[in-house]
Structures are given as structure tokens and as C-alpha cells.
Amino acid sequence: MSTAAETTGGDIEPWEEVTPDAARRLLVAAVEAFAERGYHATTTRDIAGRAGMSPAALYIHYKTKEELLHRISRIGHTRAVAILRSAAQGEGGATERLADAVSSFVRWHAGRRTTARVVQYELDALGPEAREEILTLRRQCDAAVRGIIDDGVATGEFDVPDVKGTTLAVLSLCIDVARWFNVNGPRTPDEVGALYADLVLRMVGARARSDAA
């Protein structure tokens, strides 16, 4: 299995929105190359070679290397927004929803760590227009988590003097999992997700946790 096909449960990363098949193969190859070598050190020839195609074939589907990165980033961030919004709009109080948001977000960054590293750490390689589109999606991620924390403060479930700063800390913790997670390590993505959910609830002083203790 290629490094771009890592998952939380053994399913191959589908990239089902990328068609035709040749375009999908090139995108997967780009994810692998960018994660391994970095965007700037990767050439279009590197990407085409990984996909088993000629460099000329790449330009049929993507005009530039940046267009490839932009598409990877857009797809990845759109999924991130969906994960966090689903948790934010779920049932239960703020404690349950924040735990769900963190555990789900962490599982994605662990199980899709190669993709996540490219999505989260190559933003500065994008041009101004593409970068602003991705920053808009990042702000939506921030808003979903901040909304849950705001709800928890309003209901008395959380003790958070600085909601904005805490939101940034929570997201940073989750994102960093993509940098260090090892599929051969002692913990599964589910276990890391559960651990981080517990840590974040402690961070926000979740009242439900204290009452239960």
C-alpha cells in the first residue's frame, strides 16, 4: 500500500472526487512526493514518474505543480471542515461535542497522516488567491471548534478565560499529530483520538468530567 493510502480502518484513501483515473493517480503521487521531499524540492517529473506517466501527461490534467497542491489542499481542508462541523452540530452538550470533534479530527490526522502533512504544512507554497481560499476553509475549522467552546462557557460546562487562544491550542494539538504519528507505534489512531479528547477536556476544565470524578 502506498503512503498516501494510509487510513484509520484499512480502506484506501478514495479521492473519489478526482477524475479521471489518471488525474487521481497524479494527485496521489503528488501527495507522496510533497510529503517525502517537500513541495519546493519536488519536480513535476518526480510526480509523473511516481504515477508511471510521462511529464507531458501531467500537464493534460494539471497546468502547474501549484495547481496540484491547491487541489490537494482544498480537498483536505474541505474534509476537515466537514469533520468538525459534523461534531459541532451533533447531539449532546458541549463536552460531548468537543470530545467528538477532537477525537475525529485527530483520527483523521493520524490515519491520513501523509495527506494531512501536505494539507497542513505546505500552505505557504500557494499563491495569494489559492492561499486565501484555503485560509477561508481554515477559518471555518476554527469557527466550528470555537463555537463548541463558546457553548460550553455559556452553559457553565467549560472554564475558559480565553476562547480564541484555547481554540488555537486545540487545533494545533490535533494538527501536530500528522507530524509525529507512526503506524508502527504503540497507539492506534482511535487510541490517540481518545487520549487527545481527554486532554482537551481537561484543558477547558470540562465540568462534566470534574463532576463525574
Side-chain angles (χ1 to χ4, degrees), residues 184-207:
N184 298 315
R187 297 180 188 269
T188 67
D190 284 343
E191 289 170 340
V192 177
L195 171 64
Y196 272 52
D198 181 78
L199 292 173
V200 167
L201 291 183
R202 293 175 187 274
M203 180 192 299
V204 300
R207 185 174 178 182

Side-chain angles (χ1 to χ4, degrees), residues 4-186:
E6 300 149 354
T7 70
T8 57
D11 297 330
I12 294 175
E13 176 79 75
W15 299 105
E16 68 276 356
E17 54 272 88
V18 182
T19 57
D21 179 69
R24 187 182 304 112
R25 285 164 50 202
L26 286 164
L27 185 140
V28 170
V31 169
E32 294 175 338
F34 294 157
E36 181 182 315
R37 306 185 62 184
Y39 175 81
H40 292 293
T42 299
T43 67
T44 53
R45 183 175 295 275
D46 294 331
I47 296 168
R50 285 174 182 261
M53 302 167 67
S54 69
L58 184 148
Y59 295 109
I60 296 174
H61 303 283
Y62 302 99
K63 295 178 181 178
T64 63
K65 183 175 70 168
E66 184 189 343
E67 183 179 336
L68 260 169
L69 177 62
H70 182 204
R71 190 162 193 190
I72 293 165
S73 297
R74 184 172 63 241
I75 292 171
H77 279 88
T78 298
R79 289 180 179 171
V81 171
I83 288 168
L84 293 173
R85 280 184 172 171
S86 176
Q89 297 167 2
E91 297 181 356
T95 299
E96 291 78 13
R97 288 183 287 125
L98 184 59
D100 185 26
V102 170
S103 61
S104 298
F105 205 41
V106 165
R107 285 198 305 271
W108 187 79
H109 280 84
R112 305 283 196 268
R113 73 190 191 285
T114 303
T115 300
R117 281 202 300 269
V118 176
V119 167
Q120 298 293 1
Y121 295 118
E122 294 288 357
L123 177 63
D124 289 342
L126 294 173
E129 186 175 342
R131 189 171 188 273
E132 182 54 37
E133 180 185 357
I134 302 306
L135 287 174
T136 297
L137 292 171
R138 288 197 174 201
R139 286 190 285 268
Q140 292 173 15
C141 290
D142 182 277
V145 174
R146 189 172 65 248
I148 301 173
I149 297 175
D150 275 332
D151 288 347
V153 172
T155 60
E157 290 180 63
F158 300 159
D159 180 13
V160 179
D162 183 349
V163 172
K164 182 178 180 181
T166 301
T167 300
L168 176 60
V170 169
L171 289 170
S172 296
L173 278 173
C174 296
I175 289 169
D176 194 55
V177 170
R179 182 185 58 79
W180 62 260
F181 184 79
N182 184 346
V183 292
N184 298 315

